PDB file of all heavy atoms in Angstrom:
ATOM      1  N   MET A 179     -11.722  -1.819   3.031  1.00 96.00           N
ATOM      2  CA  MET A 179     -11.615  -2.041   4.484  1.00 96.00           C
ATOM      3  C   MET A 179     -12.339  -3.288   4.909  1.00 96.00           C
ATOM      4  O   MET A 179     -11.852  -4.017   5.762  1.00 96.00           O
ATOM      5  CB  MET A 179     -12.213  -0.836   5.222  1.00 96.00           C
ATOM      6  CG  MET A 179     -11.664   0.497   4.797  1.00 96.00           C
ATOM      7  SD  MET A 179     -10.001   0.814   5.462  1.00 96.00           S
ATOM      8  CE  MET A 179      -9.631   2.382   4.654  1.00 96.00           C
ATOM      9  N   LEU A 180     -13.516  -3.525   4.335  1.00 96.00           N
ATOM     10  CA  LEU A 180     -14.316  -4.668   4.764  1.00 96.00           C
ATOM     11  C   LEU A 180     -14.070  -5.904   3.921  1.00 96.00           C
ATOM     12  O   LEU A 180     -14.415  -7.012   4.313  1.00 96.00           O
ATOM     13  CB  LEU A 180     -15.803  -4.285   4.693  1.00 96.00           C
ATOM     14  CG  LEU A 180     -16.445  -3.629   5.940  1.00 96.00           C
ATOM     15  CD1 LEU A 180     -15.429  -2.891   6.771  1.00 96.00           C
ATOM     16  CD2 LEU A 180     -17.582  -2.717   5.539  1.00 96.00           C
ATOM     17  N   GLY A 181     -13.455  -5.712   2.746  1.00 94.00           N
ATOM     18  CA  GLY A 181     -13.130  -6.847   1.906  1.00 94.00           C
ATOM     19  C   GLY A 181     -14.340  -7.480   1.243  1.00 94.00           C
ATOM     20  O   GLY A 181     -14.295  -8.633   0.802  1.00 94.00           O
ATOM     21  N   GLU A 182     -15.459  -6.715   1.195  1.00 95.00           N
ATOM     22  CA  GLU A 182     -16.644  -7.269   0.548  1.00 95.00           C
ATOM     23  C   GLU A 182     -16.701  -6.841  -0.898  1.00 95.00           C
ATOM     24  O   GLU A 182     -16.526  -5.658  -1.214  1.00 95.00           O
ATOM     25  CB  GLU A 182     -17.900  -6.745   1.258  1.00 95.00           C
ATOM     26  CG  GLU A 182     -18.052  -7.299   2.662  1.00 95.00           C
ATOM     27  CD  GLU A 182     -19.056  -6.524   3.476  1.00 95.00           C
ATOM     28  OE1 GLU A 182     -19.733  -5.633   2.917  1.00 95.00           O
ATOM     29  OE2 GLU A 182     -19.165  -6.790   4.682  1.00 95.00           O
ATOM     30  N   PRO A 183     -16.908  -7.780  -1.799  1.00 94.00           N
ATOM     31  CA  PRO A 183     -17.011  -7.409  -3.219  1.00 94.00           C
ATOM     32  C   PRO A 183     -18.288  -6.653  -3.469  1.00 94.00           C
ATOM     33  O   PRO A 183     -19.257  -6.790  -2.715  1.00 94.00           O
ATOM     34  CB  PRO A 183     -17.049  -8.774  -3.938  1.00 94.00           C
ATOM     35  CG  PRO A 183     -17.607  -9.722  -2.930  1.00 94.00           C
ATOM     36  CD  PRO A 183     -17.150  -9.199  -1.590  1.00 94.00           C
ATOM     37  N   ILE A 184     -18.301  -5.818  -4.515  1.00 96.00           N
ATOM     38  CA  ILE A 184     -19.516  -5.074  -4.795  1.00 96.00           C
ATOM     39  C   ILE A 184     -20.307  -5.774  -5.879  1.00 96.00           C
ATOM     40  O   ILE A 184     -19.773  -6.379  -6.790  1.00 96.00           O
ATOM     41  CB  ILE A 184     -19.208  -3.630  -5.248  1.00 96.00           C
ATOM     42  CG1 ILE A 184     -17.915  -3.579  -6.070  1.00 96.00           C
ATOM     43  CG2 ILE A 184     -19.143  -2.696  -4.083  1.00 96.00           C
ATOM     44  CD1 ILE A 184     -17.579  -2.189  -6.544  1.00 96.00           C
ATOM     45  N   ASP A 185     -21.611  -5.652  -5.774  1.00 96.00           N
ATOM     46  CA  ASP A 185     -22.488  -6.185  -6.823  1.00 96.00           C
ATOM     47  C   ASP A 185     -23.655  -5.206  -6.974  1.00 96.00           C
ATOM     48  O   ASP A 185     -23.760  -4.216  -6.254  1.00 96.00           O
ATOM     49  CB  ASP A 185     -22.979  -7.591  -6.483  1.00 96.00           C
ATOM     50  CG  ASP A 185     -23.647  -7.619  -5.105  1.00 96.00           C
ATOM     51  OD1 ASP A 185     -24.058  -6.543  -4.629  1.00 96.00           O
ATOM     52  OD2 ASP A 185     -23.772  -8.703  -4.534  1.00 96.00           O
ATOM     53  N   ARG A 186     -24.492  -5.550  -7.938  1.00 98.00           N
ATOM     54  CA  ARG A 186     -25.610  -4.656  -8.275  1.00 98.00           C
ATOM     55  C   ARG A 186     -26.503  -4.369  -7.073  1.00 98.00           C
ATOM     56  O   ARG A 186     -26.889  -3.224  -6.819  1.00 98.00           O
ATOM     57  CB  ARG A 186     -26.415  -5.295  -9.405  1.00 98.00           C
ATOM     58  CG  ARG A 186     -27.468  -4.412  -9.992  1.00 98.00           C
ATOM     59  CD  ARG A 186     -28.182  -5.097 -11.171  1.00 98.00           C
ATOM     60  NE  ARG A 186     -29.343  -4.281 -11.525  1.00 98.00           N
ATOM     61  CZ  ARG A 186     -29.287  -3.204 -12.269  1.00 98.00           C
ATOM     62  NH1 ARG A 186     -28.121  -2.810 -12.757  1.00 98.00           N
ATOM     63  NH2 ARG A 186     -30.369  -2.491 -12.538  1.00 98.00           N
ATOM     64  N   GLU A 187     -26.805  -5.417  -6.301  1.00 97.00           N
ATOM     65  CA  GLU A 187     -27.711  -5.239  -5.148  1.00 97.00           C
ATOM     66  C   GLU A 187     -27.126  -4.244  -4.143  1.00 97.00           C
ATOM     67  O   GLU A 187     -27.823  -3.408  -3.613  1.00 97.00           O
ATOM     68  CB  GLU A 187     -27.976  -6.568  -4.447  1.00 97.00           C
ATOM     69  CG  GLU A 187     -28.757  -7.573  -5.278  1.00 97.00           C
ATOM     70  CD  GLU A 187     -27.851  -8.404  -6.145  1.00 97.00           C
ATOM     71  OE1 GLU A 187     -27.104  -9.230  -5.620  1.00 97.00           O
ATOM     72  OE2 GLU A 187     -27.839  -8.211  -7.389  1.00 97.00           O
ATOM     73  N   PHE A 188     -25.834  -4.409  -3.878  1.00 98.00           N
ATOM     74  CA  PHE A 188     -25.192  -3.522  -2.916  1.00 98.00           C
ATOM     75  C   PHE A 188     -25.333  -2.081  -3.370  1.00 98.00           C
ATOM     76  O   PHE A 188     -25.680  -1.195  -2.579  1.00 98.00           O
ATOM     77  CB  PHE A 188     -23.720  -3.874  -2.754  1.00 98.00           C
ATOM     78  CG  PHE A 188     -22.950  -2.908  -1.897  1.00 98.00           C
ATOM     79  CD1 PHE A 188     -22.902  -3.077  -0.532  1.00 98.00           C
ATOM     80  CD2 PHE A 188     -22.323  -1.821  -2.468  1.00 98.00           C
ATOM     81  CE1 PHE A 188     -22.213  -2.184   0.271  1.00 98.00           C
ATOM     82  CE2 PHE A 188     -21.629  -0.901  -1.669  1.00 98.00           C
ATOM     83  CZ  PHE A 188     -21.589  -1.093  -0.310  1.00 98.00           C
ATOM     84  N   LEU A 189     -25.077  -1.835  -4.637  1.00 98.00           N
ATOM     85  CA  LEU A 189     -25.103  -0.467  -5.133  1.00 98.00           C
ATOM     86  C   LEU A 189     -26.504   0.116  -5.077  1.00 98.00           C
ATOM     87  O   LEU A 189     -26.703   1.282  -4.713  1.00 98.00           O
ATOM     88  CB  LEU A 189     -24.572  -0.438  -6.577  1.00 98.00           C
ATOM     89  CG  LEU A 189     -23.073  -0.789  -6.682  1.00 98.00           C
ATOM     90  CD1 LEU A 189     -22.660  -0.902  -8.152  1.00 98.00           C
ATOM     91  CD2 LEU A 189     -22.205   0.221  -5.973  1.00 98.00           C
ATOM     92  N   ILE A 190     -27.501  -0.704  -5.397  1.00 98.00           N
ATOM     93  CA  ILE A 190     -28.883  -0.213  -5.355  1.00 98.00           C
ATOM     94  C   ILE A 190     -29.297   0.066  -3.923  1.00 98.00           C
ATOM     95  O   ILE A 190     -29.888   1.109  -3.621  1.00 98.00           O
ATOM     96  CB  ILE A 190     -29.823  -1.247  -6.023  1.00 98.00           C
ATOM     97  CG1 ILE A 190     -29.540  -1.302  -7.525  1.00 98.00           C
ATOM     98  CG2 ILE A 190     -31.278  -0.877  -5.758  1.00 98.00           C
ATOM     99  CD1 ILE A 190     -30.382  -2.296  -8.281  1.00 98.00           C
ATOM    100  N   ALA A 191     -28.958  -0.875  -3.009  1.00 97.00           N
ATOM    101  CA  ALA A 191     -29.281  -0.648  -1.603  1.00 97.00           C
ATOM    102  C   ALA A 191     -28.608   0.613  -1.104  1.00 97.00           C
ATOM    103  O   ALA A 191     -29.186   1.384  -0.334  1.00 97.00           O
ATOM    104  CB  ALA A 191     -28.817  -1.855  -0.775  1.00 97.00           C
ATOM    105  N   ASN A 192     -27.408   0.838  -1.577  1.00 97.00           N
ATOM    106  CA  ASN A 192     -26.662   2.022  -1.186  1.00 97.00           C
ATOM    107  C   ASN A 192     -27.365   3.289  -1.630  1.00 97.00           C
ATOM    108  O   ASN A 192     -27.466   4.269  -0.876  1.00 97.00           O
ATOM    109  CB  ASN A 192     -25.276   1.937  -1.813  1.00 97.00           C
ATOM    110  CG  ASN A 192     -24.224   2.594  -0.965  1.00 97.00           C
ATOM    111  OD1 ASN A 192     -24.308   2.510   0.247  1.00 97.00           O
ATOM    112  ND2 ASN A 192     -23.261   3.231  -1.610  1.00 97.00           N
ATOM    113  N   ILE A 193     -27.858   3.259  -2.841  1.00 98.00           N
ATOM    114  CA  ILE A 193     -28.582   4.417  -3.364  1.00 98.00           C
ATOM    115  C   ILE A 193     -29.866   4.649  -2.572  1.00 98.00           C
ATOM    116  O   ILE A 193     -30.165   5.771  -2.160  1.00 98.00           O
ATOM    117  CB  ILE A 193     -28.923   4.210  -4.850  1.00 98.00           C
ATOM    118  CG1 ILE A 193     -27.624   4.237  -5.690  1.00 98.00           C
ATOM    119  CG2 ILE A 193     -29.915   5.259  -5.353  1.00 98.00           C
ATOM    120  CD1 ILE A 193     -27.792   3.809  -7.134  1.00 98.00           C
ATOM    121  N   ASP A 194     -30.609   3.563  -2.332  1.00 97.00           N
ATOM    122  CA  ASP A 194     -31.948   3.720  -1.741  1.00 97.00           C
ATOM    123  C   ASP A 194     -31.913   3.957  -0.237  1.00 97.00           C
ATOM    124  O   ASP A 194     -32.770   4.649   0.290  1.00 97.00           O
ATOM    125  CB  ASP A 194     -32.801   2.482  -2.045  1.00 97.00           C
ATOM    126  CG  ASP A 194     -33.266   2.484  -3.501  1.00 97.00           C
ATOM    127  OD1 ASP A 194     -33.441   3.584  -4.057  1.00 97.00           O
ATOM    128  OD2 ASP A 194     -33.442   1.395  -4.071  1.00 97.00           O
ATOM    129  N   THR A 195     -30.930   3.381   0.440  1.00 96.00           N
ATOM    130  CA  THR A 195     -30.945   3.498   1.906  1.00 96.00           C
ATOM    131  C   THR A 195     -29.966   4.534   2.450  1.00 96.00           C
ATOM    132  O   THR A 195     -30.040   4.862   3.619  1.00 96.00           O
ATOM    133  CB  THR A 195     -30.656   2.144   2.609  1.00 96.00           C
ATOM    134  OG1 THR A 195     -29.291   1.819   2.419  1.00 96.00           O
ATOM    135  CG2 THR A 195     -31.531   1.045   2.043  1.00 96.00           C
ATOM    136  N   VAL A 196     -29.067   5.009   1.605  1.00 97.00           N
ATOM    137  CA  VAL A 196     -28.105   5.996   2.087  1.00 97.00           C
ATOM    138  C   VAL A 196     -28.112   7.279   1.285  1.00 97.00           C
ATOM    139  O   VAL A 196     -28.419   8.358   1.792  1.00 97.00           O
ATOM    140  CB  VAL A 196     -26.671   5.421   2.130  1.00 97.00           C
ATOM    141  CG1 VAL A 196     -25.704   6.447   2.682  1.00 97.00           C
ATOM    142  CG2 VAL A 196     -26.618   4.141   2.957  1.00 97.00           C
ATOM    143  N   ILE A 197     -27.845   7.163  -0.013  1.00 98.00           N
ATOM    144  CA  ILE A 197     -27.618   8.376  -0.822  1.00 98.00           C
ATOM    145  C   ILE A 197     -28.906   9.206  -0.927  1.00 98.00           C
ATOM    146  O   ILE A 197     -28.907  10.388  -0.616  1.00 98.00           O
ATOM    147  CB  ILE A 197     -27.073   7.999  -2.210  1.00 98.00           C
ATOM    148  CG1 ILE A 197     -25.731   7.293  -2.068  1.00 98.00           C
ATOM    149  CG2 ILE A 197     -26.925   9.264  -3.058  1.00 98.00           C
ATOM    150  CD1 ILE A 197     -25.173   6.773  -3.373  1.00 98.00           C
ATOM    151  N   LEU A 198     -29.966   8.565  -1.380  1.00 98.00           N
ATOM    152  CA  LEU A 198     -31.200   9.340  -1.591  1.00 98.00           C
ATOM    153  C   LEU A 198     -31.765   9.896  -0.265  1.00 98.00           C
ATOM    154  O   LEU A 198     -32.110  11.085  -0.213  1.00 98.00           O
ATOM    155  CB  LEU A 198     -32.246   8.471  -2.308  1.00 98.00           C
ATOM    156  CG  LEU A 198     -31.871   8.097  -3.748  1.00 98.00           C
ATOM    157  CD1 LEU A 198     -32.968   7.265  -4.406  1.00 98.00           C
ATOM    158  CD2 LEU A 198     -31.571   9.331  -4.583  1.00 98.00           C
ATOM    159  N   PRO A 199     -31.820   9.091   0.809  1.00 97.00           N
ATOM    160  CA  PRO A 199     -32.250   9.676   2.083  1.00 97.00           C
ATOM    161  C   PRO A 199     -31.362  10.851   2.502  1.00 97.00           C
ATOM    162  O   PRO A 199     -31.861  11.877   2.954  1.00 97.00           O
ATOM    163  CB  PRO A 199     -32.120   8.507   3.036  1.00 97.00           C
ATOM    164  CG  PRO A 199     -32.269   7.283   2.213  1.00 97.00           C
ATOM    165  CD  PRO A 199     -31.642   7.634   0.892  1.00 97.00           C
ATOM    166  N   ALA A 200     -30.051  10.696   2.375  1.00 97.00           N
ATOM    167  CA  ALA A 200     -29.146  11.770   2.756  1.00 97.00           C
ATOM    168  C   ALA A 200     -29.397  13.012   1.929  1.00 97.00           C
ATOM    169  O   ALA A 200     -29.305  14.149   2.401  1.00 97.00           O
ATOM    170  CB  ALA A 200     -27.681  11.325   2.600  1.00 97.00           C
ATOM    171  N   ALA A 201     -29.742  12.803   0.644  1.00 97.00           N
ATOM    172  CA  ALA A 201     -29.991  13.927  -0.254  1.00 97.00           C
ATOM    173  C   ALA A 201     -31.347  14.571   0.027  1.00 97.00           C
ATOM    174  O   ALA A 201     -31.629  15.649  -0.478  1.00 97.00           O
ATOM    175  CB  ALA A 201     -29.917  13.476  -1.706  1.00 97.00           C
ATOM    176  N   GLY A 202     -32.165  13.875   0.805  1.00 95.00           N
ATOM    177  CA  GLY A 202     -33.467  14.430   1.144  1.00 95.00           C
ATOM    178  C   GLY A 202     -34.460  14.371  -0.021  1.00 95.00           C
ATOM    179  O   GLY A 202     -35.299  15.245  -0.161  1.00 95.00           O
ATOM    180  N   VAL A 203     -34.321  13.338  -0.834  1.00 92.00           N
ATOM    181  CA  VAL A 203     -35.266  13.180  -1.940  1.00 92.00           C
ATOM    182  C   VAL A 203     -36.668  12.968  -1.380  1.00 92.00           C
ATOM    183  O   VAL A 203     -36.868  12.162  -0.463  1.00 92.00           O
ATOM    184  CB  VAL A 203     -34.883  11.983  -2.830  1.00 92.00           C
ATOM    185  CG1 VAL A 203     -35.966  11.685  -3.851  1.00 92.00           C
ATOM    186  CG2 VAL A 203     -33.553  12.269  -3.525  1.00 92.00           C
ATOM    187  N   ARG A 204     -37.640  13.681  -1.944  1.00 65.00           N
ATOM    188  CA  ARG A 204     -38.996  13.634  -1.375  1.00 65.00           C
ATOM    189  C   ARG A 204     -39.716  12.339  -1.750  1.00 65.00           C
ATOM    190  O   ARG A 204     -40.230  11.635  -0.916  1.00 65.00           O
ATOM    191  CB  ARG A 204     -39.816  14.802  -1.895  1.00 65.00           C
ATOM    192  CG  ARG A 204     -39.135  16.130  -1.765  1.00 65.00           C
ATOM    193  CD  ARG A 204     -40.140  17.256  -1.770  1.00 65.00           C
ATOM    194  NE  ARG A 204     -39.601  18.473  -2.401  1.00 65.00           N
ATOM    195  CZ  ARG A 204     -38.498  19.085  -1.976  1.00 65.00           C
ATOM    196  NH1 ARG A 204     -37.807  18.576  -0.978  1.00 65.00           N
ATOM    197  NH2 ARG A 204     -38.071  20.181  -2.577  1.00 65.00           N
TER     198      ARG A 204
END
Side-chain angles (χ1 to χ4, degrees):
Chain A
M179 308 284 176
L180 272 27
E182 291 165 6
I184 35 180
D185 54 20
R186 189 177 170 81
E187 293 87 70
F188 174 88
L189 293 173
I190 292 179
N192 212 35
I193 291 170
D194 285 330
T195 72
V196 181
I197 299 175
L198 294 181
V203 171
R204 310 202 213 303

